[in-house]
Amino acid sequence: MSLPQPPKPAKLVVGFFVKDRALAAGIAKDLQDRLGPVDMISAWLNFDFTNYYEKEMGAPLIRRLVVFKSLIEQDQLAAIKRMTNTVEQKYQRQGQRRVNIDPGYLLPERFVLATGKNFTHRICIGQGIYADLTLIYQKGAFRTLPWTYPDYADKHLIGFLTLVRNKYMLDLKQME
């Protein structure tokens, strides 16, 4: 029989992409006001792996990841995704999004994103939100899966998430 164990707290990672870089400071402040102090921020990364968002948001799009200091309980992810949806709505103009925000969490063995879209490999985590197992950590590196979004399979983004994982492992040691 397997006995339930409390899950590890997770490192919160929130990615967003925009066309207008000038929006980034306000978005980051809105996220920080709701989620607490920032621990790490990625460099700007091109978001040119799909043209899916260009009709609504324009082009070229750029991405940034914001990592928060406080660790979260894994079951908070659905509520965090719903909250980031309200931040997206704040920045809408004429019914068009100007920012896309994707919260997720990192654990020693995986990286998970939250989405409102169901699919075969996604698990409902409540509030109409699904968990997308995006990357797994095996043999000392993040590994992609057949459904990993192309931008999350990019070596620059994986390199940053590796740094985040290293910091997270230090955070866990400090908690012991």
Side-chain angles (χ1 to χ4, degrees), residues 23-87:
L23 296 175
I27 294 163
K29 182 178 182 332
D30 285 339
L31 293 173
Q32 193 170 2
D33 288 348
R34 291 166 169 85
L35 299 170
V38 170
D39 201 10
M40 302 169 73
I41 300 176
S42 74
W44 284 106
L45 304 165
N46 291 329
F47 185 82
D48 55 5
F49 299 93
T50 179
N51 59 4
Y52 179 83
Y53 298 94
E54 287 180 12
K55 183 177 179 186
E56 180 179 18
M57 297 178 68
L61 296 172
I62 51 175
R63 168 187 288 292
R64 179 160 264 181
L65 300 180
V66 179
V67 182
F68 293 86
K69 285 187 182 187
S70 296
L71 301 181
I72 64 163
E73 295 300 322
Q74 294 177 44
D75 61 7
Q76 291 180 275
L77 188 58
I80 291 169
K81 175 62 176 168
R82 304 263 316 198
M83 179 277 298
T84 61
N85 284 350
T86 64
V87 175

Side-chain angles (χ1 to χ4, degrees), residues 115-132:
T115 178
K117 299 174 194 140
N118 187 21
F119 204 66
T120 55
H121 64 279
R122 295 177 180 158
I123 307 298
C124 183
I125 56 174
Q127 302 180 44
I129 304 300
Y130 298 84
D132 182 296

